[in-house]
Amino acid sequence: MIVRSVIRKDSYFDSLVLMRVSTKMREMEGVEDAAVMMGTEANKQSLLRIGLLTDEIKASGPNDVCFVVGAKTQQSAEQAIALGERLLLSRYAVRDKKEGLTTVKTLGAALAALPGANLALLSILGIFVRREATRALENGLNVFIFSDNVPLEDEMVLKRMAQEKGLLVMGPDCGTAIIGGTALAFANKVRRGAIGVVGASGTGMQEVTCLIHRLGEGVSHAIGAGSRDVSEAVNGATMLQGLALLESDTATRVIVLVSKPPAPGVVKTILEAVGRCSKPVIINFLGSEEADISRQGAIFTDTLEDTAVRAVVLLHGSGAREERLVRKSLHAEVAGWAGLIKDEYVRLTAGQTWVRGVFSGGTFANEAALILSKLLGEVYTNTNLRQAVKLKDAHFSIGHTCVDLGEDEFTLGKPHPMLEPAIRRDRILAEAVDPGTAIILLDVVLGYGVHPDPASVLAPIIVEAKERAQAGRRHLPVIVSVCGTEEDPQCRSMQVAKLREVGAVIAPSNAAATRMAAAIACRGQLPFSEAGLRED
């Protein structure tokens, strides 16, 4: 492979733009890999891991745009770089600009144009976040930080400063929030209501808010804390602030906390705060123990679906019967669970054993791994879930595997799979041709900011996967959960229809999809009550 790189000094482009350009370069004939990114140390380390770090890029700085291509020929590499440079200078790079929006270059100009603003959203290089977020806080603005690669010390300083000023810092690496009905970053269109959410899990918050909406209730606010907020160093700073804000918010009657596995010390700190809260609190900390949470008077749930159902039921002050009815209404999307599951497993061959989850959302991968580990035994992942075994090489599955393709190891210079579902094609096809694969498990995330029509991209991939399995004389069930609402730009029912048309089985939630997969893998030997599925 020939590696060619070019540096353009003192230029800056948003990471989403750079990822789109990288994708176009990678699609060119003769190109094996390509990336366009800023010359930060983090990006250089990522390029080093995949063999694309050149001497030119080593010498670049964080204000420089780096083009690098691995290609079969010198000509292919140069043509790809030429295309990349041309795209960055074209309207392609700025296609997200909307008519009627005012563009400014400084925070001061933004405040002059919109003097009533009370929140700033930052999507810039991580090393510049502290300076710009400090300016925003000093001007009395809450801050939503979409950027990643922000130094941990900067996050701690910014969150302390926000607390002193009575302001809120959401993030860094905050993927979603809904504040006063306004969706920020990757959020869904849900109705306003009386359930408030604080989360250190982007897709986890999206699943809970969408399920609440689909169950007929609404969300007062959904406050994103950022992936590191529940680490020992940050000690849940934003989650604690969010809890306090929702407790004082008169529109919020029930509070939900959602997170990937927090650090043990942070769990203790948050639970102590929950114990002092005057409103009912439901907690879904993936992998946490029920006894620890219940001891503080909070309500424990072990899946995102359970979290949404319990929040809706609690809002009405109802009991177990009401909970069964609410869950039944959600599961009504699937007609005839037992027959559907049997129809899939009777066509499996004896060697088809493993559930293979290929996820775009990290929380979905973690949740699926947790459920499968309880129902089927050992599960492998590329996340840090305590209850699963870490894959030595995330590019290859072992046994039951739930892999998060949104992790850095898969997204270097590439769009996140929520932005470009085609990123999952190679992994889905690799699982399809493995004679040990019994079921492929997928998530699809709708809403603002993500791909405008993910089902249209995934549908032909599912068809190809089934055809490849069929060529090996195997039937291949594909189970998909679609996180979204009818009001989302993609319209959930339209996405579901496209996936069903190609033979995918649609589940009402990620938890239900995982349990269906487990029931199929067990050839119906798993009791429905144990699998958590509704009896027909």
Side-chain angles (χ1 to χ4, degrees):
M1 181 172 74
I2 294 172
V3 178
R4 174 96 165 83
S5 63
V6 168
I7 309 299
R8 294 291 174 250
K9 307 265 320 160
D10 299 324
S11 303
Y12 176 75
F13 290 89
D14 182 87
S15 59
L16 290 179
V17 172
L18 298 179
M19 285 190 288
R20 288 190 187 122
V21 173
S22 300
T23 299
K24 289 296 179 185
M25 292 166 62
R26 208 176 290 116
E27 291 172 352
M28 291 185 69
E29 187 173 353
V31 173
E32 298 184 1
D33 206 348
V36 186
M37 52 183 57
M38 304 305 296
T40 63
E41 289 306 314
N43 286 339
K44 291 175 187 175
Q45 289 303 313
S46 297
L47 289 173
L48 176 63
R49 287 197 292 273
I50 60 170
L52 291 181
L53 182 62
T54 65
D55 290 340
E56 285 177 298
I57 294 177
K58 286 179 185 174
S60 67
N63 292 321
D64 303 332
V65 176
C66 306
F67 298 77
V68 60
V69 175
K72 293 178 180 175
T73 66
Q74 183 75 18
Q75 183 181 19
S76 296
E78 290 179 354
Q79 287 176 342
I81 287 177
L83 173 68
E85 291 188 293
R86 196 163 60 247
L87 288 174
L88 275 188
L89 296 175
S90 71
R91 289 180 60 82
Y92 177 84
V94 294
R95 68 180 185 180
D96 278 348
K97 288 187 175 179
K98 308 289 187 185
E99 290 185 7
L101 289 181
T102 301
T103 300
V104 295
K105 293 185 176 180
T106 65
L107 179 62
L111 287 171
L114 192 61
N118 63 2
L119 185 145
L121 190 155
L122 302 185
S123 179
I124 56 178
L125 277 178
I127 57 174
F128 300 134
V129 160
R130 179 169 175 172
R131 182 184 68 195
E132 297 304 322
T134 299
R135 289 175 179 169
L137 291 169
E138 287 173 343
N139 279 278
L141 301 176
N142 300 289
V143 182
F144 180 102
I145 304 173
F146 186 73
S147 315
D148 58 6
N149 294 318
V150 177
L152 181 60
E153 182 187 348
D154 292 358
E155 177 174 354
M156 296 163 63
V157 168
L158 289 170
K159 290 191 170 180
R160 278 198 300 269
M161 182 178 179
Q163 287 174 335
E164 291 167 4
K165 293 179 175 295
L167 298 169
L168 192 64
V169 168
M170 292 175 275
D173 197 19
C174 191
T176 186
I178 303 172
I179 305 299
T182 298
L184 302 176
F186 301 137
N188 301 84
K189 189 167 179 58
V190 302
R191 74 175 64 79
R192 297 208 66 185
I195 301 172
V197 182
V198 189
S201 156
T203 47
M205 287 177 66
Q206 286 187 262
E207 176 85 328
V208 169
T209 55
C210 286
L211 291 176
I212 289 170
H213 176 92
R214 284 163 53 196
L215 289 169
E217 293 299 336
V219 174
S220 55
H221 306 281
I223 299 170
S227 58
R228 284 191 315 219
D229 190 72
V230 290
S231 64
E232 294 283 2
V234 187
N235 200 30
T238 300
M239 185 163 282
L240 292 168
Q241 267 190 289
L243 175 66
L245 286 170
L246 291 178
E247 184 181 12
S248 63
D249 176 41
T250 55
T252 300
R253 291 166 47 202
V254 173
I255 298 172
V256 170
L257 305 184
V258 181
S259 176
K260 296 175 184 174
V266 181
V267 174
K268 182 174 183 294
T269 302
I270 292 172
L271 289 180
E272 288 173 355
V274 167
R276 298 190 293 271
C277 183
S278 60
K279 293 181 179 178
V281 180
I282 300 170
I283 295 181
N284 177 235
F285 290 164
L286 287 177
S288 292
E289 297 296 328
E290 179 173 3
D292 295 339
I293 289 172
S294 299
R295 197 177 298 123
Q296 293 295 334
I299 299 169
F300 169 85
T301 58
D302 58 3
T303 70
L304 299 167
E305 178 190 305
D306 288 345
T307 305
V309 169
R310 293 296 298 274
V312 169
V313 171
L314 196 59
L315 199 59
H316 300 289
S318 306
R321 182 176 179 278
E322 177 73 12
E323 184 172 330
R324 284 195 297 273
L325 292 173
V326 170
R327 195 181 304 280
K328 185 175 181 179
S329 70
L330 185 66
H331 285 197
E333 181 176 27
V334 180
W337 289 84
L340 189 153
I341 289 169
K342 184 176 182 181
D343 182 58
E344 295 292 343
Y345 74 69
V346 296
R347 290 185 281 171
L348 297 178
T349 65
Q352 288 182 270
T353 307
W354 312 118
V355 177
R356 297 286 166 74
V358 183
F359 292 93
S360 61
T363 299
F364 289 142
N366 276 330
E367 182 182 57
L370 273 171
I371 293 171
L372 291 176
S373 67
K374 291 176 182 175
L375 297 176
L376 302 180
E378 191 172 73
V379 178
Y380 290 79
T381 74
N382 62 331
T383 68
N384 294 317
L385 185 68
R386 178 171 51 85
Q387 291 83 353
V389 181
K390 187 79 175 277
L391 287 165
K392 290 183 178 176
D393 185 342
H395 294 83
F396 300 98
S397 296
I398 302 173
H400 300 300
T401 291
C402 294
V403 63
D404 172 18
L405 294 195
E407 285 284 340
D408 291 346
E409 58 204 315
F410 292 105
T411 56
L412 172 63
K414 303 175 183 176
H416 191 282
M418 283 164 54
L419 298 169
E420 183 45 80
I423 292 291
R424 289 196 274 183
R425 177 180 179 275
D426 289 349
R427 186 56 174 262
I428 292 171
L429 296 183
E431 305 297 357
V433 299
D434 183 342
T437 299
I439 304 108
I440 291 181
L441 192 56
L442 303 175
D443 61 336
V444 173
V445 181
L446 311 181
Y448 299 108
V450 299
H451 194 279
D453 187 6
S456 291
V457 178
L458 285 172
I461 298 173
I462 292 172
V463 170
E464 187 175 356
K466 284 177 170 286
E467 288 176 346
R468 293 198 181 192
Q470 188 62 42
R473 298 183 180 278
R474 287 175 285 106
H475 170 65
L476 180 63
V478 177
I479 302 177
V480 186
S481 66
V482 180
C483 173
T485 70
E486 288 301 284
E487 291 75 15
D488 279 332
Q490 302 89 347
C491 182
R492 185 177 181 275
S493 62
M494 293 176 66
Q495 295 291 303
V496 165
K498 290 177 181 179
L499 294 166
R500 279 193 171 134
E501 192 174 339
V502 297
V505 176
I506 305 300
S509 70
N510 182 62
T514 307
R515 287 164 172 159
M516 289 177 74
I520 293 169
C522 288
R523 271 66 168 173
Q525 296 302 307
L526 196 64
F528 267 30
S529 57
E530 189 177 338
L533 300 174
R534 176 178 62 85
E535 293 278 10
D536 290 301

